[in-house]
Amino acid sequence: MSRDNQWSVQAIIERIDREKRAAAERAPAESSSVGYSVRGLWSCYADPGELTAAQAHTAMQLHLECGVATCQVRWRARNALVSAGRMVLDPRAARPAAARTSLFTLLRIAVFGYGALFLGGRHALR
């Protein structure tokens, strides 16, 4: 492929680099990385690592339906916004972290909870 073709790999890489430089020149450094992906931002179970305030705002918008207790990305984003001073938590939300549930407890819930559902327990679907 030639370099003049707009769909060549090298032309696409150069265009992305030009767009990144242009965005960095016209926007503050904090918000320049918002348009580009952060590893693990889409999956609730992947840890995205440290987030800037702008990336945290984007993560909070992407995970509106998620809860902080179940979504790793939303938890990271909330902590980043609180530490940046962009979000103030209600005193009820600043509870100490709950102890993790043991593997035995999860196994017991899975076996007996689903067993009751499929074998006609009290809460079975009929």
Side-chain angles (χ1 to χ4, degrees), residues 10-22 36:
Q10 190 60 37
I12 293 171
I13 291 172
E14 290 172 359
R15 190 186 83 219
I16 290 172
D17 288 338
R18 280 194 312 270
E19 289 175 2
K20 283 183 181 179
R21 282 193 301 271
Y36 298 99

Side-chain angles (χ1 to χ4, degrees), residues 20 39 59 74 112:
K20 283 183 181 179
R39 178 172 291 187
R74 191 162 173 93
F112 293 114

Side-chain angles (χ1 to χ4, degrees), residues 86-107:
R86 303 264 182 110
M87 178 185 232
V88 177
L89 293 180
D90 187 31
R92 294 173 290 177
R95 292 184 220 141
R100 291 187 176 239
T101 308
S102 70
L103 182 61
F104 177 73
T105 304
L106 293 174
L107 183 63

Side-chain angles (χ1 to χ4, degrees), residues 34-56:
V34 173
Y36 298 99
S37 67
V38 175
R39 178 172 291 187
L41 200 59
W42 289 98
S43 173
C44 292
Y45 306 107
D47 187 7
E50 295 296 322
L51 298 172
T52 64
Q55 291 168 341

